[in-house]
Amino acid sequence: MRFTSEQRLDEGVLEREFALGEIPGILWTPGSASAPAPLILLGHPGGLHKMYPRLVARARHSAAEGYAAATIELPGSGDRPRSAAAEEARADLRRALEAGEPVDDEIIDRLVLPLVDKAVPEWRAALDALLSLPEIGGPVGYAGGVISIGVRLAVVEPRISAAVLFAGSFVPRTMFEEARQVTIPLQVLLQWDDEWNDRQMSLDLFDAFGTKEKTLHANMGGHTGVPQFEGDDGNRFFARHLK
């Protein structure tokens, strides 16, 4: 991990951009931490520059409660090299949605499964690097989307103790079997009128999660309409499981 820039935000939060090989990322640490801070990994749908305002707001919210927060760019997003196969699948998905047609499982598989297969090892490598820093300690939480990435991480990464998952993306059918293997506490956010999400599939996925502690928060509104109070609820959720 190589830090490339740093700045202090208004609340004293230290924001540092870093590179993990060719993967860009951002780390936020609380300004007044007296001990290694618990860590929350911030998932997102890709495009760090585009997503930055929402990510930094979430990170500041977490830092106010004493958590460090970090994120990395997804494969094929931002300035990272594009995948021709992923771009073709994304175009097919867009055409189906614009035509009001059902989205074929084959399109979802082509778009999501290769992304999960590549992104999850990168998240785990980032976690290795982050936990080696003296200011970062366990336990670790994951918050955000793409939800299939969060599901896979919850299954394969034992250092993640709890997760807040955002149900805002299409889910391959094969991920349901992985969902049954999830045992960590979960809180799932669902926007009821999300234009980029199959509501019934999200409900079915929630039902499939194998954990004994899972909570569904469903709010009216579209993809970007998550109420601000969900940030407080997420912090309370992590306070129960990361401290």
Side-chain angles (χ1 to χ4, degrees):
M1 173 181 282
R2 176 175 55 88
F3 288 106
T4 57
S5 69
E6 69 173 58
Q7 64 172 331
R8 285 279 179 187
L9 306 182
D10 294 341
E11 304 84 352
V13 177
L14 178 61
E15 176 185 279
R16 285 174 286 176
E17 296 187 3
F18 63 84
L20 187 67
E22 297 181 355
I23 306 167
I26 309 174
L27 170 64
W28 296 269
T29 47
S32 58
S34 58
L39 175 65
I40 299 176
L41 304 176
L42 301 181
H44 61 93
L48 274 183
H49 295 302
K50 179 181 68 175
M51 293 297 301
Y52 176 81
R54 291 162 65 183
L55 288 166
V56 72
R58 290 164 57 193
R60 282 172 157 166
H61 206 73
S62 298
E65 300 298 324
Y67 304 113
T71 191
I72 58 174
E73 183 63 276
L74 287 184
S77 295
D79 296 327
R80 299 190 64 185
R82 296 295 189 265
S83 159
E87 292 297 308
E88 182 181 353
R90 191 172 288 109
D92 291 342
L93 172 64
R94 232 180 249 115
R95 278 193 291 271
L97 291 173
E98 290 172 355
E101 299 172 352
V103 179
D104 190 272
D105 286 347
E106 185 264 346
I107 296 175
I108 298 173
D109 288 352
R110 284 193 287 122
L111 179 62
V112 179
L113 291 178
L115 175 64
V116 174
D117 288 343
K118 188 168 184 181
V120 168
E122 293 180 351
W123 271 114
R124 300 187 75 185
L127 186 53
D128 289 341
L130 291 162
L131 289 178
S132 72
L133 299 173
E135 62 270 36
I136 305 295
V140 180
Y142 177 87
V146 173
I147 196 169
S148 294
I149 293 174
V151 171
R152 176 73 58 81
L153 277 170
V155 172
V156 303
E157 182 46 75
R159 293 171 292 184
I160 294 178
S161 302
V164 175
L165 301 180
F166 295 4
S169 51
F170 289 92
V171 180
R173 297 289 176 182
T174 56
M175 295 303 302
F176 282 70
E177 185 55 41
E178 295 192 37
R180 294 183 180 93
Q181 302 173 48
V182 173
T183 59
I184 62 173
L186 294 180
Q187 186 165 294
V188 180
L189 302 182
L190 170 62
Q191 287 300 106
W192 203 246
D193 305 302
D194 193 333
E195 60 276 19
W196 287 96
N197 188 43
D198 184 318
R199 182 196 303 163
Q200 189 58 53
M201 182 175 287
S202 294
L203 295 173
D204 292 343
L205 181 66
F206 179 79
D207 189 52
F209 284 124
T211 179
K212 295 180 179 179
E213 183 178 342
K214 56 183 177 180
T215 303
L216 177 67
H217 288 200
N219 295 288
M220 302 303 293
H223 187 76
T224 60
V226 178
Q228 290 188 352
F229 63 73
E230 288 291 359
D232 295 326
D233 285 343
N235 279 343
R236 284 192 288 269
F237 171 82
F238 284 128
R240 294 196 299 273
H241 299 292
L242 301 188
K243 290 186 178 179

